[in-house]
Amino acid sequence: MKRRQTTTGNLTRLLGGGSTPLFVMNGQRKLLVFNRGCEELTGFAAEDVVGRISHYGSSGETPVEELTAGLCPPPEVLAGEQRSTPAYLTTATGASLPRMLNFYPFCDEEGQVIHVLGIVSAIPQPPPVADPTAAQTVHAELAALRGNLRQRFGQQTLVCKGPATMRMLNQIELAQHCQAAVFLQGEPGTGKQHLARVIHYGGDTKNTAFVALDCRKLAASEIDRTVTRLLEAATDPAARGLGISAGSLFLGHVEHLPRDVQRRIVKAHDGEEPPALRLFSSSCFPLAEAVEREDLLFELQALLTTVTIEVPPLRDRPEDLLLLAQHFLEDINRRGEKQVGGFARAVVKLFTEYNWPGNLEELFKVVGETHTAATGEMVLPADLPFRFRTGFDAQHLPPVEQFTSIPLEQLTSEYETELIQRALRQCKQNKSQAADLLQINRAKLYRRMEVLGIDDADPGEEE
């Protein structure tokens, strides 16, 4: 054992001084070597990195955690496979460097990975013929996207790429640089409260409190008590002098806000520029509808909608879907020992065909359950939860035929008229023969013709 420790120490000293960026971690993803080449490339010192546990993801609470996440090999490497995969490495300045990571696992006699050597190189031009897997490509794309969005919006998590979210991102960026009230409108589960937090913590209010209230779920007394305390803190000169700030108030499902609390908020913000308490609110429909129903004061609607941001549903964000699913998966990787690399192509196909009625909230729950169920490096169709499979099947069932109002008497009369006229034509207006053809007697035929308004034929045409 002592000899092995000495050998490992010599190897660490040898690799640590090289100019080619490389690193070594053990089978539990603990970084053992971060050489001089890696230090020069990233700006991080070896002591900042060595000893940390990496996770297969693209996010972290600090830049060094994001770097170690970027260095983590995909689960296939920890299963003994040699792989090369693109990655974006976070530097000490917060920039993202595109690089190719070449992983070489070393196994013991039982085939268990005990060490992984990683060599960092430039991405070849043109790219190699052996392309990385689709899951690794999504992983690298997510890392690049997160790096770009982090520079625009700070450390708050945003995963947006498609055209449906570009206008929303621009509005968020503008809202971070002002104190105007922001109203977010979108379907349930689209992440409206999270976007309000991104605005709050990405601007000058980031060092103040962000208080979120769900007006639909909380009792009126609790809402009243909380809003009263916040307004008192915001309007009390003594509290301001002591540097105490109430920050921002988020009112979810604001149409359920009690009427007396609505009046209090309007009165507290009357004529105050800038407002001491910044207001965020959300609803699933335009607030004008709540005003029409008299659920919301018009004055409060005007106060809350200075900036209105429409949050698109997940079904309108196809470019973001796989990146969001990968983000949720990697976030779970960061919180536990189990590491799952991504989604198999069959799962990706199912995800893209599903319309996600629960939006981001449903996607988060589905990804969480698949991560728990997965037994390999990738999520397979068999790992998908019951909630998703039943929802997918229900989505592809034919619609239930709707029974609409039918004028039965009118349709019956029209059908009977057509049959009598056809019988008369076939029998050349001979009513006796027509009655026999219709299997009724002649007297009944005459009564039905009179009721239905069928013209009597010329008697000369009968025998």
Side-chain angles (χ1 to χ4, degrees), residues 74-92:
E76 295 89 341
V77 174
L78 297 174
E81 298 182 23
Q82 178 181 322
R83 286 292 176 94
S84 295
T85 179
Y88 282 80
L89 303 182
T90 301
T91 68

Side-chain angles (χ1 to χ4, degrees), residues 12-24 31-50 64 67 71 89-93 97 99 118 120:
T12 300
R13 286 191 294 273
L14 175 65
L15 296 177
S19 59
T20 299
L22 58 84
F23 55 92
V24 178
L31 282 154
L32 306 177
V33 176
F34 189 78
N35 79 338
R36 179 168 58 85
C38 285
E39 290 180 317
E40 295 173 351
L41 178 68
T42 66
F44 288 104
E47 53 265 29
D48 297 329
V49 178
V50 171
V64 69
L67 170 66
L71 296 175
L89 303 182
T90 301
T91 68
T93 62
L97 295 177
R99 289 293 185 273
V120 184

Side-chain angles (χ1 to χ4, degrees), residues 175-409:
Q176 286 181 331
H177 296 90
C178 69
Q179 292 296 306
V182 178
F183 170 64
L184 299 112
Q185 178 190 327
E187 295 180 6
T190 48
K192 298 182 288 294
Q193 181 176 324
H194 177 73
L195 294 177
R197 290 182 184 274
V198 170
I199 296 172
H200 172 84
Y201 288 108
D204 296 336
T205 55
K206 60 185 176 183
N207 295 321
T208 62
F210 180 90
V211 180
L213 300 177
D214 189 333
C215 302
R216 184 178 57 178
K217 295 181 179 180
L218 294 176
S221 58
E222 185 174 353
I223 295 174
D224 182 85
R225 184 168 55 252
T226 303
V227 171
T228 298
R229 287 202 304 265
L230 290 173
L231 291 175
E232 289 176 350
T235 57
D236 184 1
R240 292 186 183 184
L242 295 174
I244 301 174
S245 176
S248 300
L249 172 63
F250 175 83
L251 300 168
H253 301 283
V254 67
E255 67 274 12
H256 295 280
L257 187 67
R259 199 77 166 183
D260 56 337
V261 179
Q262 295 184 36
R263 295 190 185 96
R264 194 173 305 128
I265 292 175
V266 170
K267 182 178 179 181
H269 287 77
D270 185 21
E272 186 171 2
E273 287 290 342
L277 180 65
R278 188 175 191 184
L279 297 176
F280 291 90
S281 60
S282 72
S283 180
C284 298
F285 49 81
L287 291 189
E289 297 180 12
V291 174
E292 291 178 4
R293 295 194 308 268
E294 298 185 353
D295 292 333
L296 199 72
L297 294 172
F298 173 77
E299 295 81 1
L300 184 59
Q301 179 210 4
L303 176 64
L304 296 177
T305 54
T306 305
V307 177
T308 298
I309 299 177
E310 295 186 9
V311 185
L314 186 54
R315 62 179 173 275
D316 292 341
R317 303 172 58 182
E319 298 87 357
D320 300 342
L321 173 60
L322 297 183
L323 293 171
L324 286 163
Q326 185 73 21
H327 162 68
F328 290 145
L329 188 75
E330 294 180 1
D331 190 56
I332 299 172
N333 285 343
R334 187 165 60 91
R335 299 197 300 265
E337 179 65 25
K338 184 177 180 180
Q339 305 290 290
V340 181
F343 303 91
R345 293 184 184 274
V347 175
V348 170
K349 184 176 184 295
L350 294 174
F351 276 10
T352 55
E353 292 178 357
Y354 187 51
N355 63 12
W356 299 101
N359 293 298
L360 296 180
E361 185 176 345
E362 182 182 11
L363 178 62
F364 176 77
K365 291 178 180 179
V366 168
V367 170
E369 293 179 30
T370 58
H371 187 280
T372 301
T375 57
E377 296 86 19
M378 304 288 288
V379 172
L380 302 176
D383 302 324
L384 292 171
F386 179 75
R387 75 166 69 236
F388 177 83
R389 294 199 300 271
T390 54
F392 187 89
D393 292 341
Q395 176 182 302
H396 288 78
L397 289 175
V400 178
E401 184 176 356
Q402 299 294 322
F403 187 84
T404 57
S405 176
I406 299 175
L408 182 60
E409 185 174 353

